[in-house]
Amino acid sequence: MSNIHVNTTVNGDEIGFLCDPRETLLDCLRDKLSLTGAKEGCGTGDCGACSVKLSGRLVCSCLVLGAEAEGQEIETIEGMSRDENLHPLQEKFIEYAALQCGICTPGILVATKALLEKNPDPTETEVRYWLAGNLCRCTGYDKIIRAILDTAADMREAS
Amino acid sequence: MALDDQSKPYFKFVGTRPKRPDGIDKVTGRAKFGADSYAAGMLHGAIVRSPHAHARIKSIDTSEAEALKGVKAVVTRADFSKDIKFTSGKDSEHWNVLENVMADEKVLYDGHALAAIAATSALIARDAVKLVKVEYEILSHVTDVDEAMAIGAPVIRKGASDKSVPSGLHENVVSYYESGHGDVETGFTEADLIIEESFKTEATHQGYIEPHACLASLGSDGKGELWCTTQGHFSFQKVCAALLGLETSQLRVTASEIGGGFGGKTTVFIEPVALALSRKTNRPVKIVMSRSEVFRATGPTASTSMDIKIGMKKDGTITAGQGTFRLQGGAFPGAPGGMTAMCAFAPYALKNVHQIGYSVMSNRPKQAAYRAPGSPMAAFAVESVIDALCKKLDLDPIEVRLKNASRKGTKASYGPTFEEIGLVECLETAKSHSHYKAPLKKGQGRGISCGFWFNFGGETAVSLALSEDGTVQISVGTPDIGGSRASIALMAAEELGIPYDHIRCTVADTATLGYNEISHGSRVTYATGLATIKAARDAINKLCKRAAEKWGIPEEAVKWEDGHAVPSGPNAGDFEPLSLKNISEKMGKTGGPIVGHFEANPEGAGVSFATHIVDAEVDPETGKTQILRYTVIQDAGKAIHPSYVEGQFQGGAAQGIGWALNEEYIYGSDGRLQNAGFLDYRIPLASDLPMIDTVIVEVPNPGHPYGVRGVGETSICPPLAAIANAVSQAAGVRLTELPMSPPSILAALKAE
Amino acid sequence: MQYYAPKSFSEAIEISMEAKGITRFLAGGTDVLVQLRADILTPEVLIDIKKIPEVGDILQNSDGSWRIGAAVPGAQLNEHKDLKAQWPGVVEAMDLIGSTQVQGRATLVGNLCNGSPAADSVPALIAAGASVTIISPNGSRDVSVEDIPHSPGKTTLEKGELISAVNLPKRNTNGGDAYLRLIPRTEMDIAVVGCGINLSVKEGLVSDARVSLGAVTAKVILVKEAADAIIGTSLDDKALTALSLAASAACKPINDKRGTIEYRTHVAGVLAKRAAQIAYKRARS
């Protein structure tokens, strides 16, 4: 079995790793780069817990091969706050109790950050549909949606 | 133990909404869940599973798998304890768990584990699994509860029934429960209207997003370490030790952060296997289930078949209620037939009531607890019939429920007499809620339902240690499944009179504390909370003693007030109050560490009731249902951290919505599970749901110092019936089987 | 499994011609990787086409027709204002596939080549009269989309053949299209039934129409009888009923975990009616 050498950028850092061609980007982030914030909830793109940004697009890292990361830029939950301050979404999720177990939280935060970059003023319906691929089994989504809408309003006010 | 404490009249910290202590870890991705642990030299495990629903294992050939480069060990049943023998009934619990973890002579369901492999990578382990050759003798199977009880059904296991089962029943009936009071036949003769109806519900999965995962290390000396996602690491310690033939205390289990459980992570699956592989290889072994393995081999709740008969007078008085509940528990005993029957009529003060519950085995995975096991299904059946009676008699569904509601002093349908309970308060709140009065459009319907759960106490140990800087660390033994560390710290803050931020609550490993029952039965805020309050009081006594010694007055002359030791009255003397910090910073020189403890079984959990209101719209051309509005009203006794109480209410409602409309285990005629993934096992999405409104009712539980009742489970009891009742009004058809999927609703509409 | 990322179509075809065993082309990977992870199918050779120039481009030709590269993800289609304005049915059909995350990767060509009778974008493409450009060792040719699906999981493509782009015709000013599907939830499900309709309206009457159904036969089909039922009508109730009946009559579905024969047959008629009304409204606006 021949491994592939992949050079890529993760959260702004240039990184290289070796992977089996069958290994997913999620496998590589977790097992080779120790970035375990992205979670494998299903491995089939149905739960969104492994959400990352791949060269500007929100994707499920379980549906990307590690080999495909060559030359790309990847953003993960670990890159969401790069100094001592949390991202406003992270702050608000804690404040609103928008998580119970927290397993879906990294994926939802990565997905929501991507939404607000694209659409700073989403409606409740737009948020709900944007996050349709991020399963949360604990919360019924209520507090998550409220936290997001409130963060968006704060961020609009601040900008 | 009895509790003599009075509820506190007012609270300083309890009832506020501080940030949870694990908040930053959870939003930055650094919180470590089951699959997030790695060890040097670690191997990866993978499990060989049966593709058949029922078969005898003729042979297992692992030679090709073992020859694969990177494969280090294979284990089968022979690698587990030989001391665990099959006996009948409940005595066989360790045997049942072992048999489920690793099949012996027969595989009993699609997905049943029969061998496992450890290899240098997860890919190699998975490849090796495919190289294991198993020869099966296929046996006839049964996956439906009614068919499993019928004459001629294949017997899953001879001799598995317990003593409760009357003679003449099929051997797959492994437990029987019957209770009630009054005389239902007389009751029915007093009724103006009787409705009798049969119901079925499919099995649903707890659907936690985190698959089971563990990292195990075990040496030939019998000393081991286990890291795993679990609702109860003490229980896992005990069971794993038994299955591996170890001494319990030689195995230290650490609970990871847990990515959802809802009852499904109360039992071991892969943990003993990882330990066995580790023992055989002398290396740490990690096993992470795939989602498909989670669906095929873990957790689902029991499917049911139920018959309900209720009689009502024209004024809404229920004259008699009778129910039969058949619970399909998979290939093992344990389906909650009894609890289902006990919950069914609990919300109502009935003169005549009778209920029967059956636990039945079939060729499905071993059912696991799922949030108030049995109660949601029972409520679906009973509350649907009550709704139908109300409609026919043209009575308001809340008024009827109020008229019959259980209250303090009611002899419960299942025997005991209720203490202070909050059902009437929930119903009154529902009646006056704006949701109940809001207008509905054509094609829309409104349903309501009540729900009930017992709640539970259980073995609990807590230790509360003071630091010299006046801060406090609490060790609890109940994994935090929904923000409990925040609630525990709030209760300690309240008791000690120090800020919430000065307290750190940690889920301690099995080597740190005495035995703690699993985080289940909605028990954590109640029992661990009570234990924390008691441990804090123990620490306070010790603090007061130090103050007394310093002041040279009797211990009894010192009391604790707002975070300070103060003289208990003018006669005690005049001393400057000593803060917790004043005392703790000198504790090294005044007698050593100050630690408060609690070790006991709190036994005043206090039952909980809820009323839900839901509006639904049904597309008459496609049978598709949309939930428009949802309100949860539930008695929490006392909400410690209201945000997390609301979260439990909302989460339970959402899971109930999924169960009612779309979630189901679909078995083919070959006995194989057809929808072992989140694509076709359809849990609710953000876009499926409206906001879920909540009202916290607080009728204090006399069994807890602050009045807490567990809230985690009752919230899933009413939704199934409430939605069925809403659909019935919206579409004009009553669905008696779950899920109420678009094809089933359309079929019902066409049949009209 | 061998992974290749060729820089040209000719290189890609060369690799696939020389490949032994199961070969798959990788664009978005939202089907290929699922099958890989679930041990349904592990290709011996996987050829990632995303490094080939132009596979990620959406181009409008001078005649007004469109060329959508084989690796253009759904999200990119959805962001293309002109394309979306002209072919909203096609873009919406693609957008219905999976989550936002899946939209970041999934492609029209991948959806077509997966060969599922329930593929959401395929009925919309067939209704639109779309074609695909196939590159093979012998050169390239355009083939109608309806000629690509063969049976569940299978296409008519031969070894060494590769789809480089989807071609959508010029949108006539009096035309409109729509795609609707029935799923139990609001998102994330496989279509129980799907229906794509593209039609033109002249003076209030439907002048031409194409109706395509998904998930009701072994492959996505074009239903001429359904189109005939509305051509020449103002889409009045009678025409809609005839459309509905014709759509249902074309169904030869199966009972499976997602729906029954009766249900699929009935809902095909319902969706055809509703999709036609949307397309009609779009054609007139």
Side-chain angles (χ1 to χ4, degrees):
Chain A
M1 189 177 339
S2 58
N3 281 329
I4 298 173
H5 185 228
V6 177
N7 289 306
T8 189
T9 303
V10 181
N11 300 324
D13 297 325
E14 289 177 9
I15 285 173
F17 58 84
L18 282 173
C19 68
D20 182 284
R22 288 187 289 162
E23 281 178 300
T24 64
L25 175 59
L26 177 61
D27 294 334
C28 296
L29 289 171
R30 292 178 54 84
D31 299 344
K32 309 200 183 280
L33 304 178
S34 299
L35 296 170
T36 55
K39 310 296 180 190
E40 179 162 319
C42 68
T44 50
D46 296 308
C47 82
C50 65
S51 295
V52 302
K53 263 184 127 180
L54 177 68
S55 296
R57 289 257 178 241
L58 181 68
V59 299
C60 285
S61 58
C62 75
L63 292 186
V64 178
L65 290 175
E68 290 181 83
E70 175 68 35
Q72 308 276 327
E73 282 186 31
I74 296 155
E75 288 172 60
T76 72
I77 184 65
E78 287 87 352
M80 194 154 172
S81 54
R82 298 197 188 178
D83 55 27
E84 62 187 326
N85 299 313
L86 295 176
H87 185 280
L89 278 167
Q90 293 173 311
E91 286 283 3
K92 200 71 85 178
F93 265 55
I94 300 174
E95 184 192 327
Y96 271 60
L99 56 131
Q100 281 174 35
C101 79
I103 193 87
C104 69
T105 309
I108 289 187
L109 287 168
V110 167
T112 307
K113 180 168 173 273
L115 168 67
L116 297 186
E117 283 161 5
K118 200 177 150 88
N119 178 2
D121 191 10
T123 63
E124 182 190 330
T125 302
E126 284 169 337
V127 176
R128 287 185 180 276
Y129 275 82
W130 182 270
L131 292 179
N134 288 89
L135 300 181
C136 169
R137 189 60 158 170
C138 293
T139 66
Y141 305 101
D142 182 296
K143 291 183 191 301
I144 293 172
I145 305 297
R146 288 180 200 277
I148 293 167
L149 291 172
D150 196 29
T151 310
D154 283 358
M155 287 173 74
R156 287 195 304 277
E157 207 163 288
S159 65
Chain B
M1 53 171 268
L3 276 164
D4 48 3
D5 316 77
Q6 293 167 336
S7 290
K8 289 189 72 158
Y10 74 94
F11 296 97
K12 188 171 175 186
F13 298 102
V14 161
T16 62
R17 302 175 185 239
K19 293 178 181 178
R20 63 194 287 163
D22 53 332
I24 289 181
D25 284 351
K26 294 262 166 87
V27 300
T28 55
R30 77 172 81 127
K32 281 179 82 174
F33 290 86
D36 297 338
S37 235
Y38 294 76
M42 176 179 95
L43 299 172
H44 297 261
I47 294 178
V48 183
R49 296 184 183 277
S50 164
H52 302 298
H54 199 191
R56 192 172 304 284
I57 301 169
K58 291 172 76 177
S59 66
I60 304 175
D61 177 3
T62 60
S63 54
E64 260 189 70
E66 285 177 271
L68 187 69
K69 255 189 185 170
V71 170
K72 299 295 176 189
V74 179
V75 295
T76 61
R77 179 64 169 266
D79 294 279
F80 294 86
S81 172
K82 312 279 188 301
D83 298 335
I84 299 173
K85 305 276 191 241
F86 175 71
T87 54
S88 69
K90 291 187 184 94
D91 301 336
S92 223
E93 201 39 43
H94 278 325
W95 186 89
N96 282 320
V97 174
L98 177 55
E99 180 74 3
N100 191 34
V101 161
M102 196 59 68
D104 188 5
E105 293 167 3
K106 290 205 300 180
V107 286
L108 301 165
Y109 58 90
D110 165 33
H112 198 169
L114 58 98
I117 286 162
T120 50
S121 80
L123 279 174
I124 294 173
R126 273 171 51 201
D127 288 342
V129 161
K130 288 175 242 170
L131 297 175
V132 173
K133 293 199 172 61
V134 185
E135 205 184 335
Y136 296 100
E137 176 196 339
I138 310 286
L139 304 170
S140 61
H141 66 269
V142 61
T143 57
D144 177 86
V145 62
D146 291 325
E147 288 171 18
M149 291 173 76
I151 297 166
V155 177
I156 313 302
R157 188 178 312 111
K158 281 197 175 300
S161 302
D162 66 28
K163 292 188 184 74
S164 66
V165 181
S167 62
L169 290 172
H170 193 287
E171 281 189 85
N172 288 339
V173 178
V174 286
S175 191
Y176 176 88
Y177 167 88
E178 185 175 355
S179 70
H181 56 250
D183 176 18
V184 288
E185 290 315 320
T186 308
F188 287 126
T189 61
E190 291 164 5
D192 293 313
L193 180 64
I194 297 168
I195 291 184
E196 201 172 353
E197 187 66 79
S198 296
F199 297 85
K200 286 195 101 163
T201 65
E202 242 314 329
T204 53
H205 196 276
Q206 295 81 352
Y208 33 82
I209 308 300
E210 179 201 30
H212 299 258
C214 68
L215 175 57
S217 183
L218 178 60
S220 53
D221 58 357
K223 292 178 170 44
E225 300 276 337
L226 175 66
W227 159 277
C228 59
T229 175
T230 173
Q231 287 177 244
H233 43 309
F234 288 89
S235 162
F236 276 36
Q237 177 197 31
K238 192 165 70 177
V239 175
C240 286
L243 268 50
L244 274 298
L246 310 173
E247 289 171 6
T248 303
S249 299
Q250 297 297 341
L251 178 64
R252 184 174 72 120
V253 183
T254 306
S256 71
E257 292 296 328
I258 171 170
F262 317 111
K265 287 178 183 161
T266 55
T267 182
V268 302
F269 296 101
I270 52 174
E271 299 78 9
V273 181
L275 284 163
L277 286 167
S278 176
R279 181 163 62 186
K280 212 162 179 179
T281 55
N282 255 320
R283 288 170 70 168
V285 174
K286 179 175 180 171
I287 299 183
V288 181
M289 272 195 186
S290 70
R291 177 53 54 183
S292 140
E293 288 180 288
V294 172
F295 276 116
R296 285 170 71 206
T298 76
T301 182
S303 62
T304 68
S305 160
M306 306 174 282
D307 307 323
I308 303 296
K309 184 177 179 183
I310 299 175
M312 194 179 274
K313 286 186 181 172
K314 279 179 188 156
D315 69 352
T317 307
I318 299 174
T319 60
Q322 188 170 34
T324 302
F325 304 89
R326 292 168 287 266
L327 279 279
Q328 177 280 124
F332 298 87
M339 287 203 288
T340 308
M342 289 162 85
C343 292
F345 294 100
Y348 303 110
L350 303 182
K351 236 168 79 185
N352 307 297
V353 62
H354 180 241
Q355 52 254 329
I356 294 171
Y358 297 91
S359 300
V360 185
M361 297 207 328
S362 73
N363 294 112
R364 292 196 187 202
K366 186 179 194 293
Q367 71 85 37
Y370 180 20
R371 238 175 167 152
S375 186
M377 302 85 116
F380 167 58
V382 169
E383 297 278 327
S384 290
V385 172
I386 292 177
D387 191 68
L389 286 161
C390 293
K391 286 235 159 61
K392 284 221 164 156
L393 293 171
D394 197 24
L395 297 167
D396 178 86
I398 291 186
E399 292 296 352
V400 165
R401 284 170 172 85
L402 270 170
K403 193 177 189 78
N404 296 287
S406 292
R407 327 162 173 250
K408 185 180 179 182
T410 296
K411 181 175 165 58
S413 55
Y414 59 95
T417 299
F418 286 127
E419 295 186 49
E420 283 83 354
I421 54 172
L423 176 59
V424 168
E425 289 78 358
C426 288
L427 284 162
E428 292 286 1
T429 305
K431 197 169 83 174
S432 58
H433 197 281
S434 63
H435 183 171
Y436 195 61
K437 298 168 182 160
L440 286 169
K441 292 186 189 135
K442 194 172 173 290
Q444 300 178 347
R446 176 166 300 144
I448 75 137
S449 173
C450 294
F452 160 83
W453 185 243
F454 310 97
N455 293 334
F456 184 59
E459 290 160 87
T460 311
V462 161
S463 146
L464 183 150
L466 273 58
S467 301
E468 286 184 344
D469 61 358
T471 62
V472 168
Q473 37 198 340
I474 305 172
S475 299
V476 300
T478 40
D480 180 349
I481 55 177
S484 61
R485 276 167 292 196
S487 308
I488 302 296
L490 274 170
M491 285 185 263
E494 191 70 49
E495 213 49 50
L496 295 168
I498 62 170
Y500 169 83
D501 291 339
H502 290 191
I503 298 168
R504 175 85 189 256
C505 178
T506 302
V507 180
D509 63 44
T510 55
T512 311
L513 278 179
Y515 189 85
N516 273 269
E517 178 73 72
I518 299 164
S519 294
H520 68 161
S522 298
R523 76 177 212 92
V524 174
T525 312
Y526 166 70
T528 306
L530 181 148
T532 300
I533 292 166
K534 295 286 184 178
R537 290 180 186 175
D538 185 31
I540 286 168
N541 287 340
K542 290 167 180 166
L543 285 160
C544 289
K545 184 164 182 270
R546 301 280 168 103
E549 282 164 0
K550 181 180 163 110
W551 293 331
I553 61 173
E555 227 176 297
E556 304 76 45
V558 181
K559 63 176 181 177
W560 193 258
E561 220 172 62
D562 200 18
H564 294 77
V566 295
S568 62
N571 296 337
D574 187 16
F575 301 101
E576 197 62 17
L578 286 169
S579 70
L580 188 145
K581 187 182 173 193
N582 293 151
I583 301 169
S584 67
E585 67 191 355
K586 302 214 166 62
M587 64 186 171
K589 293 185 184 114
T590 60
I594 299 176
V595 182
H597 286 278
F598 176 90
E599 291 91 13
N601 292 0
E603 276 172 7
V607 303
S608 160
F609 291 90
T611 303
H612 289 197
I613 313 170
V614 58
D615 294 353
E617 184 167 316
V618 178
D619 181 339
E621 287 191 311
T622 63
K624 187 167 163 171
T625 302
Q626 191 190 351
I627 301 298
L628 304 170
R629 185 171 177 182
Y630 205 105
T631 304
V632 177
I633 300 152
Q634 185 177 322
D635 178 16
K638 175 68 200 171
I640 302 299
H641 191 306
S643 296
Y644 290 104
V645 172
E646 291 161 3
Q648 290 298 319
F649 288 8
Q650 291 163 335
Q655 291 182 352
I657 291 169
W659 195 339
L661 296 179
N662 285 311
E663 293 180 34
E664 61 177 322
Y665 261 47
I666 305 172
Y667 278 92
S669 55
D670 58 2
R672 289 182 184 151
L673 182 63
Q674 299 199 339
N675 58 334
F678 279 133
L679 182 63
D680 285 302
Y681 185 88
R682 303 183 188 92
I683 78 170
L685 315 170
S687 50
D688 292 340
L689 300 179
M691 292 296 187
I692 296 169
D693 199 4
T694 56
V695 183
I696 302 173
V697 170
E698 294 185 320
V699 176
N701 166 24
H704 184 278
Y706 299 167
V708 167
R709 294 176 200 274
V711 296
E713 291 170 289
T714 305
S715 55
I716 203 174
C717 302
L720 315 186
I723 294 164
N725 295 340
V727 165
S728 161
Q729 194 187 342
V733 288
R734 179 165 293 284
L735 277 286
T736 55
E737 291 188 14
L738 296 184
M740 296 178 277
S741 63
S744 61
I745 290 182
L746 194 75
L749 282 166
K750 285 194 157 183
E752 274 292 289
Chain C
M1 188 177 87
Q2 299 285 323
Y3 170 85
Y4 298 94
K7 301 253 167 23
S8 69
F9 283 117
S10 54
E11 197 188 332
I13 286 162
E14 203 174 310
I15 296 165
S16 81
M17 289 301 286
E18 284 170 12
K20 292 190 177 55
I22 299 164
T23 304
R24 284 287 182 277
F25 291 105
L26 174 69
T30 52
D31 290 311
V32 173
L33 265 71
V34 170
Q35 291 164 3
L36 184 67
R37 179 72 178 90
D39 284 326
I40 295 166
L41 189 141
T42 303
E44 255 92 354
V45 174
L46 188 65
I47 306 169
D48 184 352
I49 62 162
K50 290 191 292 295
K51 301 273 190 255
I52 301 172
E54 293 179 22
V55 293
D57 296 342
I58 301 172
L59 299 170
Q60 185 158 28
N61 301 312
S62 52
D63 65 354
S65 64
W66 293 89
R67 185 173 175 77
I68 301 161
V72 170
Q76 192 183 340
L77 284 182
N78 209 27
E79 285 160 2
H80 200 294
K81 287 198 173 58
D82 290 345
L83 180 70
K84 197 176 178 181
Q86 292 184 21
W87 291 103
V90 170
V91 174
E92 286 166 10
M94 185 65 210
D95 188 46
L96 288 175
I97 299 167
S99 58
T100 311
Q101 287 82 343
V102 166
Q103 284 296 309
R105 299 268 293 164
T107 65
L108 285 171
V109 172
N111 197 221
L112 177 62
C113 291
N114 189 45
S116 166
D120 282 304
S121 71
V122 179
L125 287 173
I126 290 177
S131 68
V132 291
T133 301
I134 297 175
I135 299 187
S136 70
N138 308 322
S140 80
R141 66 187 196 279
D142 286 0
V143 174
S144 294
V145 169
E146 57 263 40
D147 293 332
I148 300 299
H150 176 272
S151 53
K154 288 208 165 63
T155 67
T156 55
L157 293 172
E158 302 282 338
K159 186 176 170 77
E161 291 189 332
L162 160 63
I163 294 177
S164 62
V166 170
N167 309 298
L168 276 171
K170 173 183 178 354
R171 163 48 83 202
N172 50 337
T173 52
N174 57 340
D177 74 332
Y179 173 80
L180 291 176
R181 68 168 182 187
L182 192 290
I183 53 170
R185 292 182 292 190
T186 49
E187 278 275 4
M188 301 302 289
D189 294 333
I190 303 294
V192 180
V193 181
C195 178
I197 295 191
N198 179 34
L199 51 77
S200 302
V201 178
K202 271 185 197 151
E203 291 162 4
L205 301 181
V206 176
S207 57
D208 60 73
R210 284 166 70 87
V211 179
S212 176
L213 290 172
V216 293
T217 56
K219 60 177 183 175
V220 180
I221 49 164
L222 184 67
V223 187
K224 188 169 179 304
E225 298 75 14
D228 291 345
I230 53 171
I231 291 172
T233 75
S234 62
L235 219 60
D236 52 19
D237 287 351
K238 198 178 142 210
L240 286 171
T241 304
L243 166 67
S244 183
L245 288 171
S248 291
C251 297
K252 291 187 192 69
I254 53 166
N255 282 324
D256 69 5
K257 62 189 172 190
R258 293 177 186 142
T260 59
I261 290 169
E262 297 73 29
Y263 187 71
R264 288 189 156 114
T265 305
H266 171 87
V267 169
V270 174
L271 294 187
K273 205 168 61 178
R274 292 179 181 180
Q277 287 170 309
I278 297 169
Y280 185 78
K281 199 173 160 198
R282 283 174 174 167
R284 283 165 64 99
S285 64

